[in-house]
Amino acid sequence: MGITHTPITRIFVDFAVTPGEKFDLPSNEAHHIFKVLRARNGDTFEVSDVARRLYAAEVRGNREIVALEELSAPGGEDAGITLYQAVPKGQRMDLVVEKATELGAKNITPLVTEHSVVEPGGNKVERWRRLAEAAARQSLQLRVPEIGGPVSFAQALREVGESSGVLLHNDEDLPSLESVIVEPPVSLFVGPEGGWSEEELRFAEEAGLASAQLGPYRLRSETAGMIAVARAQAALERSGKRL
């Protein structure tokens, strides 16, 4: 079976989709399909399911949704990158969430550090989740990254566990990010404009995090976050070590 119409959008669901069967849309996706895009009978769209498989689906009578066929999904492998980002001033975190999503980050977690000047509330987290969903849709990702609630630096270190954690620090004597990435999953720690405290650097070392730098220039926190994800993604692609 081939699709006869250009898909109007891509949506994401947390359950398995089966070709030929009807399924219900999550409320947020139903709103996007019917209220925002004003879908009509016969319109088709793409749906990425819980297993990150991609399908074509069609709107039928009485707003029924039917899965048509599985589609090829290039880039289906996951690099397994988590970004722990100290929240910058203003709305710069919006840009970090959007671009890190486009670059394929699996998780993005707001980080509260000793030199942080912003402690995000629940409303901001919900906005970042909406931005991540929109960015995943636009960039044809197969899933929306998880946007966690804000965590302290100590809590983040506990969460990393056995994954390859890398603390980014502006020190010319440190190795490059690419040289310390071994295999996924990778957790990237990006600090605030004021940098890491001496105690945080000590805690990171005791927790087994590698330290790395992104080059000779002093980058804004939000710039460092986006570049770190891009470079980690490229390093894992070159090595062929993806989840």
Side-chain angles (χ1 to χ4, degrees), residues 77-224:
E77 293 183 346
D78 197 331
I81 297 172
T82 293
L83 173 63
Y84 286 96
Q85 171 75 50
V87 182
K89 294 179 182 179
Q91 295 187 333
R92 295 172 184 168
M93 187 68 176
D94 292 7
L95 184 62
V96 174
V97 169
E98 181 181 88
K99 299 310 175 186
T101 297
E102 292 178 14
L103 291 164
K106 183 177 182 181
N107 304 289
I108 305 168
T109 301
L111 189 63
V112 179
T113 69
E114 285 193 33
H115 295 162
S116 292
V117 294
V118 177
E119 293 194 22
N123 291 339
K124 287 186 177 181
V125 174
E126 287 305 315
R127 184 175 79 245
W128 294 332
R129 287 169 179 163
R130 292 192 298 270
L131 286 170
E133 183 177 315
R137 202 188 311 278
Q138 180 274 328
S139 57
L140 301 182
Q141 301 288 337
L142 292 177
R143 50 144 180 77
V144 180
E146 180 178 344
I147 311 297
V151 300
S152 67
F153 185 68
Q155 182 180 345
L157 292 179
R158 291 193 295 269
E159 288 180 357
V160 169
E162 298 299 320
S163 69
S164 302
V166 182
L167 182 131
L168 281 305
H169 187 39
N170 190 38
D171 184 337
E172 63 181 11
D173 294 328
L174 292 174
S176 67
L177 172 61
E178 290 83 350
S179 67
V180 302
I181 291 178
V182 179
E183 59 185 13
V186 176
S187 294
L188 304 171
F189 286 76
V190 176
E193 297 293 338
W196 303 107
S197 71
E198 291 299 321
E199 187 175 40
E200 286 168 339
L201 292 174
R202 179 171 58 82
F203 286 162
E205 183 177 5
E206 291 174 353
L209 264 66
S211 292
Q213 47 94 358
L214 294 173
Y217 307 112
R218 180 174 294 176
L219 304 175
R220 284 186 178 275
S221 181
E222 68 273 16
T223 306

